[in-house]
Amino acid sequence: MAPTVAEPFSDSSALIDFVINQGNGVKGLSEMGLKALPKQYIQPLEERMCMTNVQAHDSIPVIDMSNPEDPEVTKSICEAASKWGFFQIVNHDVPVEVLKNVKDATYKFFALPAEVKNKYSKEHSSSNNVRFGTSFTPQAEKALEWKDYLSLFYVSEEEAFALWPSVCREQVLDYMKKSEVVIKQLLKVLMNGLNLHEIDETKELLLMGSMRTNLNYYPKCPNPELTVGVGRHSDVLTLTILLQDEIGGLFVRGNDSDNWIHVPPIKGSLVINVGDALQIISNGKYRSVEHRVVANGSKNRIFVPIFVNPRPIDMIGPFPELIENGEKPIYKQVLYSDYVKHFFRKAHDGKKTVAFVEL
């Protein structure tokens, strides 16, 4: 039975049981109509979003992809990846209908009863490739994050049809398939920017050998100023392709390191960000940048990111061609699965993961 509004979760074990073990997630907490945020979600002061640190007049670049071969477009992409680590793209090749369908499917999945969603939890899922969960790494976090998610690791269409929830699998597969064209366009441009003009099969596998899509759900939150949807972090991977809804809430660390820039939702756009793996592979030319998601007190919100990764078995390090051309390596070679494990064994902590491979 759910606790009452007047007596929300006097101890942590009751909250963990309700949110994690029973599969209610923070959506279940939100729907109880709590008047105050449970103490387990109250972030330390230094991790809360201070709106006085938001740069109101700054924004990340918005790039029109209607002609991706245009030299001005390719220059803009490389500059954005070097200076900002983030940019939005419009007039890309992913149809608006595909984006709408995957957003609708996300809401449908999270509308399922808790016991149905819980079949996909760590304890009950038939595969590590399908995972329903909450927060980030609950066992390692001092304060929990106000987010539920479904994570879908792509192996094959056959496996997706066998294991992914039927309410969203076709829409997610379509979104991934249509986005692949854009991912390849972006990687080709970014590699050209490193004077690597041919992406052979080995390089393609290293850059985009594994892909995962998350359906992220951020329900409305009592006292949103005391918690976070997602804490400060940079992504571990090559690129993230993010579909925002119309509500927004994503903030990116500005070039002036104390300040944050809001990434406003633009209808039909996709947000692109550089991950640690691309920063390492490019020997620091492209930057992965800290970002965070705030909680919202009045509206439920969704994000649908595609995470483009090397394969777990790949060694990542600066491309040999860059070193052969006289650059000094600033990162060591590391097994990608080791890098990812290092990221997931701790709470979100800004850009500290990349220090793991610095020379």
Side-chain angles (χ1 to χ4, degrees):
M1 194 177 88
T4 65
V5 174
E7 183 80 11
F9 305 104
S10 49
D11 67 85
S12 285
S13 60
L15 180 127
I16 294 297
D17 186 56
F18 178 76
V19 172
I20 297 177
N21 300 342
Q22 294 176 36
N24 289 291
V26 283
K27 182 173 184 281
L29 290 180
S30 177
E31 289 173 350
M32 286 170 57
L34 298 176
K35 300 290 183 241
L37 186 72
K39 66 180 187 294
Q40 295 86 349
Y41 289 90
I42 296 176
Q43 294 286 330
L45 266 172
E46 65 273 15
E47 295 303 335
R48 297 179 204 168
M49 186 68 179
C50 177
M51 286 318 209
T52 57
N53 285 353
V54 173
Q55 289 172 251
H57 304 298
D58 230 337
S59 61
I60 64 167
V62 178
I63 299 172
D64 187 331
M65 292 283 287
S66 46
N67 182 4
E69 308 275 322
D70 181 330
E72 282 303 309
V73 173
T74 61
K75 184 181 169 206
S76 297
I77 290 168
C78 294
E79 281 181 355
S82 300
K83 182 184 174 187
W84 297 94
F86 265 83
F87 52 97
Q88 296 205 63
I89 57 172
V90 294
N91 298 323
H92 49 74
D93 284 337
V94 186
V96 172
E97 191 66 18
V98 171
L99 303 181
K100 180 186 179 301
N101 290 346
V102 80
K103 284 195 279 193
D104 291 347
T106 301
Y107 276 111
K108 280 181 184 161
F109 173 78
F110 286 101
L112 293 171
E115 59 271 19
V116 176
K117 288 181 292 197
N118 209 25
K119 289 178 186 169
Y120 302 101
S121 69
K122 184 177 181 181
E123 288 68 32
H124 302 113
S125 181
S126 58
S127 166
N128 278 337
N129 296 336
V130 182
R131 176 70 49 82
F132 167 66
T134 192
S135 194
F136 174 63
T137 309
Q139 66 277 14
E141 292 168 310
K142 292 190 179 76
L144 297 170
E145 298 179 348
W146 194 260
K147 176 190 86 171
D148 297 331
Y149 65 86
L150 176 69
S151 184
L152 300 167
F153 183 84
Y154 180 82
V155 174
S156 65
E157 277 205 28
E158 187 182 25
E159 182 179 284
F161 272 91
L163 300 179
W164 293 8
S166 59
V167 73
C168 60
R169 69 181 168 221
E170 286 176 47
Q171 294 84 350
V172 173
L173 282 170
D174 198 23
Y175 171 51
M176 292 181 86
K177 200 178 294 176
K178 299 291 195 304
S179 296
E180 201 169 315
V181 177
V182 174
I183 293 163
K184 287 181 174 175
Q185 283 172 345
L186 292 169
L187 288 174
K188 182 182 175 188
V189 168
L190 291 166
M191 291 305 102
N192 279 337
L194 299 174
N195 289 317
L196 301 172
H197 300 297
E198 191 182 330
I199 302 180
D200 58 19
E201 191 181 346
T202 307
K203 276 199 179 67
E204 185 170 295
L205 283 171
L206 179 65
L207 292 165
M208 55 180 293
S210 70
M211 293 221 238
R212 181 163 60 90
T213 296
N214 266 27
L215 310 184
N216 291 345
Y217 187 83
Y218 306 93
K220 63 184 177 185
C221 174
N223 314 115
E225 71 286 353
L226 299 180
T227 191
V228 294
V230 180
R232 303 177 298 114
H233 70 289
S234 61
D235 293 346
V236 292
L237 36 67
T238 307
L239 284 179
T240 300
I241 316 297
L242 172 68
L243 171 62
Q244 294 199 83
D245 64 11
E246 66 286 349
I247 299 158
L250 173 65
F251 288 81
V252 174
R253 177 79 79 180
N255 290 322
D256 168 358
S257 64
D258 286 337
N259 289 326
W260 295 86
I261 297 165
H262 183 231
V263 180
I266 298 171
K267 192 175 170 100
S269 76
L270 292 167
V271 180
I272 311 298
N273 69 277
V274 171
D276 292 352
L278 185 54
Q279 177 172 320
I280 292 162
I281 285 165
S282 71
N283 204 32
K285 172 158 187 189
Y286 301 131
R287 297 173 58 219
S288 72
V289 171
E290 265 185 81
H291 50 286
R292 66 201 312 181
V293 178
V294 297
N296 188 298
S298 58
K299 291 179 175 168
N300 301 321
R301 193 174 69 221
I302 57 164
F303 283 1
V304 189
I306 297 175
F307 299 123
V308 182
N309 294 266
R311 296 169 304 170
I313 57 167
D314 285 323
M315 294 295 292
I316 61 167
F319 270 136
E321 292 93 330
L322 302 179
I323 307 310
E324 285 159 15
N325 286 340
E327 283 187 34
K328 187 179 174 200
I330 54 177
Y331 305 106
K332 63 187 178 189
Q333 298 279 330
V334 64
L335 185 67
Y336 187 61
S337 58
D338 287 345
Y339 190 79
V340 172
K341 280 178 200 155
H342 182 67
F343 178 69
F344 279 104
R345 71 166 62 107
K346 56 193 174 46
H348 280 139
D349 59 1
K351 277 273 293 182
K352 287 184 183 169
T353 311
V354 83
F356 179 59
V357 294
E358 285 172 353
L359 284 170

